[in-house]
Amino acid sequence: MDIEVKKKRFLKGIIPVPGDKSISHRAVMIGSIAEGITEIENFLLGEDCISTINCMKNLGVDIELKGTNVKVHGKGLYLNKSEKILDVGNSGTTIRLLMGILAGQKFETTLTGDDSIKRRPMGRVITPLSMMGAKIVAKEGNFAPLTVFGNKLKGIYYKMPIASAQVKSSIMLASLYADDKTTIEEPYPSRNHTELMFSSFGAKVDVNGTKITCYPGYKLHGQRVIVPGDISSAAYFIVAATLVPNSEVTIKNVNVNLTRTGIIDVIKEMGGDIVLTNERTINNEKVADITVKTSRLKGIEIGGSLIPRLIDEIPVIAVAAVFAEGKTVIKDAEELKVKESNRINTITSELKKMGAKIFETEDGMIIEGTGFLRGNTVESYNDHRIAMSLWVAGLIAEGETKIKNAECVNISYPDFYKTFDML
């Protein structure tokens, strides 16, 4: 499906955004291996999170879905062997976290996904799980499809070469089946939803700086989980309201966990007018309403420990940088190359088509703030983050922009275009 977007004169309104994707995935998985019932409210009905539900159902978990409410009848740590190959669709979170759970089971399971998943690196998860005693056989180069042979696991000390919440979470889930404690050391803190959820479900976790220690032998108990709005989805409205003239947008009930608020820090540093109100804590997660007004931005340098806190938002930050005064440099973001698309390459090539002065580097990009884009036909590469970023670019570009394969937003935000129409 192709979609057309035209320049907007202003954006005003109060909107919700869908439930946090990371928390929705984890609530279903952890609820499945807990004892008792887990009730999840405001679950994200994106394709990725539905893939997680379908995989857990195939492993014998009874899951009821009514609108955005999910009831998970937990089976405890040990699941049933699936009669079929588990298909994770486009979801990197599903395949990587599930590998951690499957590593400690008493059966083998084969996992596969779409063409994008089959190109994404799995060695980063296979290596630590293998150190714990798991046996995983993957396609040459450590790609899916792959088979996890459940085994008795041992606790390890693992120093992660990159900060990755998916890798960390996979090891943490496997640690529940280990014979002793497991300690993970990150180079920088990545999103910590698994640590917070482990604690609320009854697991024992110690966090000391960038070290996380998990202790086996603690039963997980079903919980009520209220999923806050996803800041990665809010990011497109934050940037759009900053750039479109005469705008003021309030986004309600957004997750503002400090490991996720890099987008807010960056837009503020660039000169963006962002205010957080109604701050509170729900299920160990910080939540707030975010109000954004049109602002004059300036170029900055983005890198280091900030990158894991905004990795998914970099494509839309690149759009903001086109309209910032001066130069913006994004570095230390090699991780973008192994997302649903090579996001360094894809956002650079498509914004260039729209007239941006943007240059690809080995670990990021350099953007000269020209303050101008012109409408063109651009490609999403079936990457939801690229499609949504190009939509924001189209709102401020001269003329009309056509985005090809724009339906890929269904992966994380099925009502994305409809929500913008509300403003």
Side-chain angles (χ1 to χ4, degrees):
M1 176 187 86
D2 298 348
I3 198 160
E4 292 177 352
V5 52
K6 292 179 181 174
K7 187 172 184 175
K8 279 259 196 184
R9 289 184 298 113
F10 62 88
L11 296 170
K12 288 189 187 293
I14 300 170
I15 55 165
V17 286
D20 188 281
K21 187 163 167 270
S22 298
I23 295 172
S24 295
H25 279 301
R26 286 158 174 78
V28 169
M29 288 194 196
I30 295 172
S32 293
I33 58 173
E35 296 183 358
I37 291 173
T38 291
E39 293 184 334
I40 307 165
E41 297 175 27
N42 197 36
F43 180 81
L44 171 62
L45 292 171
E47 290 173 359
D48 277 10
C49 294
I50 298 298
S51 292
T52 290
I53 285 182
N54 291 336
C55 287
M56 300 319 296
K57 280 183 171 179
N58 283 325
L59 291 163
V61 183
D62 181 13
I63 300 175
E64 302 168 56
L65 179 61
K66 289 181 183 171
T68 58
N69 292 330
V70 180
K71 186 182 277 190
V72 182
H73 298 262
K75 288 183 67 69
L77 286 178
Y78 293 95
L79 305 172
N80 296 350
K81 181 178 167 68
S82 174
E83 296 302 315
K84 55 176 82 167
I85 290 172
L86 298 184
D87 188 343
V88 306
N90 187 251
S91 180
T93 302
T94 306
I95 192 167
R96 290 185 177 129
L97 270 62
L98 204 44
M99 285 165 69
I101 292 173
L102 293 171
Q105 300 298 321
K106 297 172 180 176
F107 49 79
E108 77 279 355
T109 311
T110 299
L111 295 154
T112 192
D114 67 8
D115 289 344
S116 165
I117 283 293
K118 289 173 183 172
R119 293 192 301 269
R120 294 179 71 178
M122 297 298 151
R124 55 182 57 187
V125 180
I126 293 171
T127 296
L129 294 182
S130 299
M131 288 168 64
M132 296 178 80
K135 187 187 173 194
I136 301 170
V137 177
K139 203 171 120 191
E140 188 179 348
N142 284 331
F143 295 107
L146 53 84
T147 301
V148 182
F149 296 85
N151 201 2
K152 288 183 176 176
L153 303 181
K154 61 178 187 286
I156 60 168
Y157 186 104
Y158 188 66
K159 193 168 183 176
M160 291 175 56
I162 52 164
S164 164
Q166 290 181 358
V167 176
K168 172 178 66 176
S169 299
S170 187
I171 301 167
M172 289 179 68
L173 287 162
S175 78
L176 297 170
Y177 302 88
D179 62 356
D180 202 352
K181 70 180 182 182
T182 291
T183 299
I184 304 154
E185 185 179 345
E186 298 188 276
Y188 304 116
S190 62
R191 56 186 71 174
N192 65 349
H193 305 303
T194 307
E195 293 94 308
L196 297 177
M197 203 175 285
F198 262 36
S199 295
S200 67
F201 274 76
K204 186 170 189 292
V205 183
D206 289 336
V207 179
N208 184 4
T210 55
K211 289 182 183 175
I212 304 105
T213 301
C214 306
Y215 300 84
Y218 289 83
K219 282 186 179 177
L220 305 181
H221 301 283
Q223 299 292 313
R224 179 169 174 251
V225 179
I226 301 168
V227 182
D230 195 323
I231 195 164
S232 293
S233 296
Y236 305 98
F237 299 92
I238 290 170
V239 172
T242 303
L243 299 180
V244 175
N246 310 309
S247 295
E248 181 174 346
V249 175
T250 297
I251 312 151
K252 302 285 283 183
N253 305 320
V254 183
N255 181 264
V256 289
N257 176 316
L258 286 175
T259 64
R260 296 287 298 281
T261 50
I263 177 71
I264 293 174
D265 294 347
V266 159
I267 297 298
K268 276 186 173 178
E269 192 184 338
M270 293 176 85
D273 183 347
I274 301 180
V275 177
L276 270 58
T277 55
N278 194 18
E279 295 185 56
R280 58 221 187 265
T281 301
I282 302 172
N283 296 119
N284 292 341
E285 295 279 0
K286 289 185 175 176
V287 180
D289 301 338
I290 302 172
T291 299
V292 193
K293 296 179 183 176
T294 307
S295 313
R296 285 186 66 181
L297 302 183
K298 64 179 190 294
I300 60 169
E301 186 170 294
I302 303 163
S305 60
L306 192 54
I307 294 296
R309 297 178 54 227
L310 48 65
I311 192 70
D312 287 337
E313 291 76 65
I314 288 175
V316 79
I317 289 170
V319 175
V322 173
F323 290 85
E325 190 180 322
K327 181 163 65 175
T328 296
V329 178
I330 299 169
K331 61 182 187 177
D332 305 319
E334 299 98 329
E335 188 67 9
L336 287 176
K337 294 179 178 179
V338 292
K339 295 289 184 178
E340 283 84 338
S341 68
N342 175 343
R343 287 179 180 159
I344 293 175
N345 178 265
T346 52
I347 196 64
T348 300
S349 71
E350 300 316 290
L351 287 178
K352 267 185 179 167
K353 287 179 189 174
M354 299 177 76
K357 290 184 84 172
I358 179 170
F359 309 96
E360 184 178 339
T361 64
E362 190 58 36
D363 64 347
M365 55 199 89
I366 298 167
I367 305 115
E368 300 281 355
T370 60
F372 177 80
L373 290 175
R374 63 177 174 272
N376 203 342
T377 298
V378 289
E379 173 59 63
S380 74
Y381 299 87
N382 291 311
D383 185 331
H384 55 133
R385 306 279 178 213
I386 298 299
M388 291 188 277
S389 299
L390 293 172
W391 174 270
V392 173
L395 292 174
I396 39 185
E398 297 298 327
E400 193 169 274
T401 300
K402 181 191 277 188
I403 305 167
K404 299 178 81 173
N405 300 306
E407 73 281 0
C408 59
V409 300
N410 293 334
I411 288 163
S412 64
Y413 198 161
D415 289 336
F416 177 75
Y417 304 117
K418 210 181 289 180
T419 307
F420 260 107
D421 287 342
M422 290 164 56
L423 293 170

